[in-house]
């Protein structure tokens, strides 16, 4: 019967009133830089977010850059994987396959950060899912104190799924020793995450946009209860607080799905498409964070590639969304994509784009923190969407010329076979066609580094999660960081609850 149900709900058909919305504007305005940097800062000297070719070659990038954010503690271990998660006084480091097998304790590293100045690895989680590479699937549900991940060996995976009880965060306990561990489940994945109530874990693949709902009401017995194809490409997502609506990345924007039937556990559930939003600047949309601003539902959504930055939509009427704000750094502006290419050559496929973000609370958030790939960790004051400004950044010291022996769990090491920031080419092409850039400004001392990246910046991918006046995050090369925000730029709200989607 389960097989029949899954086949019957393979395609997410659009509702009769489903709308497609295209937002053609390409923003050419950056958010203001921090007004000032606290004493002891090592600020950027050039464009906001840029690590120049000269700084990469001279070794200056080995010292990192920071303004109003300082390092409290760090543990590099074997590298930081892609997406990690935190709970209570612990952090859990995502895994990369096959390099993670070379780590002293293979599997998801458990970091004790009870003393943020001296974080330490206290164990590892070794199951088929965590050993197989967790990519962007390692997530926490605080309500139920659960940690879950799927196996993603390279871009795409599935079958193996692990759920851990993290009530004692230093000693997680595997709950599903049967389905998902001893025997695989029928799903594919690249990304994954919980419904807000923690009863469902959603796994999304890349092509062809495969999406699966895994029932974990009983975490010891996970079971797939719905599957479908939501678009040509699927990626990360965010789910509304009631669990009824999913904002899932479709490659060039966001698709809105009505998942209420799955949330209610309706027999033979249908998941119709409600709307789709598209835009030209920014590709491979990464994930969305549903928030409430001025009493109205919004989404904050980040583009992993193409210098699209972060966009904010008012989705009070999901079929009539309002595009209300965008966050870009100077290095992301169309007229600066020539400099972006000049600086990023030899750094491998990624350059300077947001990957995962977190707000400090889901209702009336005051701050947004984002991992910005080669530009490090960036933090913004978002209390007034018309006057968003950057208040601090931390771009960690580059682990230049590190190898897989040094950092077996770093995707940067694995990706550095290639030297070209290919993920920027579509937006760069649009800037060329529109006469925004100059060929001569694309060329520099690293232009010949087509093969073999040199790790001259770190790659920060994981959501920087708010812990009071601190941010806890991991970067691909530097591993886990506990960072301190200057009290001159950030005061934690009393009801702080870090949320990443």
């Amino acid at each position: 019967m389960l097989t029949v149900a899954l086949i019957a709900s393979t395609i997410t058909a659009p509702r009769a009133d489903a709308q497609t919305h295209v937002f053609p504007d390409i923003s050419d305005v950056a958010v203001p830089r921090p007004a000032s940097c606290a004493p002891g800062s090592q600020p950027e000297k050039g464009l906001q977010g840029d690590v120049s070719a000269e700084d990469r070659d001279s070794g200056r990038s080995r010292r990192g850059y920071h303004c109003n954010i300082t390092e409290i503690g760090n543990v590099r271990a074997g590298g930081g994987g892609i997406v990690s998660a935190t709970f209570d006084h612990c952090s859990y480091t995502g895994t990369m396959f096959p390099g993670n097998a070379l780590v002293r304790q293979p599997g998801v590293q458990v970091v004790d950060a009870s003393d943020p100045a001296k974080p330490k690895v206290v164990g590892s989680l070794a199951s088929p899912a965590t050993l197989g590479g967790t990519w962007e699937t390692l997530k926490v549900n605080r309500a139920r104190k659960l940690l879950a991940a799927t196996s993603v060996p390279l871009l795409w995976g599935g079958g193996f799924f692990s759920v851990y009880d993290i009530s004692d965060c230093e000693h997680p306990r595997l709950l599903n020793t049967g389905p998902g561990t001893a025997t695989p489940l029928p799903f594919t994945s690249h990304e994954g995450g919980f419904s807000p109530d923690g009863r469902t874990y959603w796994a999304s693949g890349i092509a062809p946009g495969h999406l699966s709902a895994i029932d974990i009401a009983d975490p010891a017995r996970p079971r797939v209860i719905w599957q479908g194809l939501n678009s040509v490409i699927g990626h990360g997502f965010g789910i509304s607080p009631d669990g009824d609506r999913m904002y899932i990345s479709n490659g060039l924007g966001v698709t809105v799905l009505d998942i209420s039937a799955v949330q209610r556990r309706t027999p033979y559930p249908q998941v119709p498409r409600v709307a789709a939003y598209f835009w030209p600047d920014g590709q491979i949309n990464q994930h969305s964070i549903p928030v409430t601003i001025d009493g109205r539902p919004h989404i904050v959504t980040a583009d992993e590639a193409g210098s699209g930055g972060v966009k904010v939509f008012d989705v009070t009427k999901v079929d009539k969304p309002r595009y209300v704000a965008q966050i870009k750094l100077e290095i992301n502006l169309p007229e600066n994509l020539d400099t972006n290419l000049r600086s990023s050559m030899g750094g491998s496929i990624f350059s300077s784009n947001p990957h995962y973000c977190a707000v400090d609370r889901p209702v009336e958030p005051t701050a947004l923190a984002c991992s910005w790939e080669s530009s490090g960790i960036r933090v913004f004051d978002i209390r007034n969407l018309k006057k968003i400004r950057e208040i601090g950044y931390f771009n960690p010291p580059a682990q230049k010329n590190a190898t897989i022996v040094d950092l077996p769990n770093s995707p940067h090491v694995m990706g550095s076979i290639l030297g070209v920031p290919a993920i920027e080419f579509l937006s760069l092409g649009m800037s060329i066609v529109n006469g925004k850039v100059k060929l001569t400004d694309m060329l520099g001392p690293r232009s010949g580094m087509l093969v073999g990246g040199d790790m001259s910046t770190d790659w920060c991918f994981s959501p920087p999660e708010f812990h009071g006046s601190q941010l806890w995050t991991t970067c691909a090369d530097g591993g886990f960081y506990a960072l301190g925000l200057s009290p001159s730029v950030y005061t934690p709200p009393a009801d702080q609850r870090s949320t990443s989607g």
Side-chain angles (χ1 to χ4, degrees):
M1 185 173 292
L2 174 61
T3 302
V4 174
L6 294 179
I7 293 173
S9 54
T10 297
I11 303 297
T12 55
R15 279 190 345 199
D17 59 346
Q19 299 288 324
T20 297
H21 302 268
V22 179
F23 300 90
D25 292 342
I26 298 178
S27 175
D28 57 2
V29 178
V31 295
R33 297 168 176 247
S36 61
C37 294
S41 295
Q42 296 187 46
E44 300 163 337
K45 298 297 184 183
L47 291 173
Q48 180 188 30
D50 186 31
V51 180
S52 69
E54 287 71 20
D55 277 10
R56 294 170 187 247
D57 283 348
S58 70
R60 167 64 186 86
S61 63
R62 289 178 182 265
R63 302 203 309 272
Y65 310 82
H66 59 91
C67 171
N68 297 329
I69 302 178
T70 55
E71 179 184 321
I72 297 173
N74 166 244
V75 56
R76 188 179 81 164
I82 299 181
V83 169
S84 300
T86 72
F87 177 74
D88 197 9
H89 64 273
C90 297
S91 179
Y92 306 100
T93 305
T95 59
M96 289 299 298
F97 180 86
N100 181 261
L102 303 178
V103 175
R104 187 170 62 87
Q105 292 179 289
V108 168
Q109 305 289 288
V110 180
V111 176
D112 173 9
S114 54
D115 180 355
K118 297 178 181 179
K120 56 186 178 182
V121 177
V122 294
S124 67
L125 309 179
S127 68
T130 59
L131 292 171
T134 57
W135 214 263
E136 293 161 348
T137 70
L138 186 66
K139 302 293 169 59
V140 160
N141 181 266
R142 291 183 178 86
R144 297 188 67 193
K145 300 180 181 179
L146 297 177
L147 173 75
T150 76
S151 173
V152 185
L154 181 61
L155 287 175
W156 182 89
F160 292 111
F161 173 62
S162 293
V163 187
Y164 288 86
D165 176 353
I166 53 174
S167 300
D168 176 356
C169 76
E170 291 183 42
H171 305 96
R173 183 170 59 91
L174 180 64
L175 297 176
N176 62 314
T177 55
T181 299
T183 55
L185 294 170
F187 70 89
T188 64
S189 64
H190 170 90
E191 281 259 3
F194 291 91
S195 61
D197 63 10
R199 295 171 59 246
T200 311
Y201 183 93
W202 291 85
S204 64
I206 301 182
H210 194 221
L211 182 65
S212 301
I214 305 174
D215 184 322
I216 54 171
D218 179 357
R221 296 176 177 81
R223 59 193 183 97
V224 177
I225 56 173
W226 179 87
Q227 290 182 328
L229 303 178
N230 65 87
S231 63
V232 176
I233 295 176
H235 209 190
F237 51 81
I239 298 176
S240 60
D242 60 8
D244 286 349
R245 186 164 289 163
M246 175 181 285
Y247 300 89
I248 186 166
S249 304
N250 61 31
L252 297 176
V254 171
T255 297
V256 187
L257 302 177
D258 178 351
I259 59 173
S260 59
V262 174
Q263 177 69 10
R264 294 192 305 267
R265 298 299 190 262
T266 302
Y268 307 104
Q270 299 297 309
V271 177
R273 291 194 297 271
V274 179
Y277 315 151
F278 296 96
W279 48 84
D281 66 328
Q283 296 85 47
I284 315 181
N285 180 261
Q286 179 60 57
H287 79 128
S288 296
I289 310 172
V291 295
T292 300
I293 298 175
D294 295 332
R296 300 165 67 89
H298 289 66
I299 58 168
V300 178
T301 189
D303 287 329
E304 175 180 5
S307 284
V310 175
K311 297 173 176 65
V312 183
F313 292 89
D314 181 335
V315 291
T316 302
K317 296 182 178 180
V318 71
D319 58 340
K320 295 182 179 179
R322 291 196 307 115
Y323 177 24
V324 295
Q326 184 165 30
I327 301 172
K328 285 188 178 183
L329 306 180
E330 291 170 2
I331 194 61
N332 300 126
L333 300 184
E335 64 267 28
N336 292 330
L337 293 187
D338 44 14
T339 300
N340 189 320
L341 177 64
R342 182 183 188 276
S343 297
S344 299
M345 284 298 299
S348 192
I349 189 169
F350 291 99
S351 59
S352 297
N353 291 282
H355 191 258
Y356 254 84
C357 301
V359 292
D360 61 351
R361 60 184 180 186
V363 178
E364 308 303 340
T366 71
L368 175 75
C370 298
S371 56
W372 215 278
E373 296 171 1
S374 287
S375 297
I377 305 301
R378 320 297 294 205
V379 184
F380 308 92
D381 182 337
I382 61 169
R383 288 174 294 180
N384 184 340
L385 293 181
K386 294 181 179 179
K387 296 182 179 180
I388 296 175
R389 59 190 180 91
E390 187 175 32
I391 57 176
Y393 54 82
F394 177 86
N395 199 347
Q399 310 289 317
K400 191 172 181 181
N401 297 320
T403 68
I404 195 167
V405 175
D406 306 306
L407 297 170
N409 196 46
S410 167
H412 198 178
V413 169
M414 297 175 65
S416 288
I417 297 171
L418 182 70
V420 180
I423 211 160
E424 292 299 314
F425 282 0
L426 183 56
S427 288
L428 177 62
M430 287 191 288
S431 284
I432 293 172
V433 170
N434 293 329
K436 296 282 188 179
V437 295
K438 298 177 181 178
L439 176 61
T440 53
D441 289 342
M442 299 180 200
L443 304 176
R446 298 167 61 85
S447 294
M449 298 179 68
L450 303 178
V451 177
D454 64 356
M455 311 276 291
S456 55
T457 68
D458 205 332
W459 281 353
C460 294
F461 290 134
S462 199
E465 299 191 46
F466 290 87
H467 288 253
S469 60
Q470 298 177 19
L471 293 170
W472 292 5
T473 192
T474 58
C475 293
D477 306 331
F480 171 80
Y481 286 97
L483 306 173
L485 277 157
S486 170
S488 66
V489 297
Y490 180 70
T491 300
D495 58 347
Q496 185 188 78
R497 182 161 62 93
S498 190
T499 303
S500 58

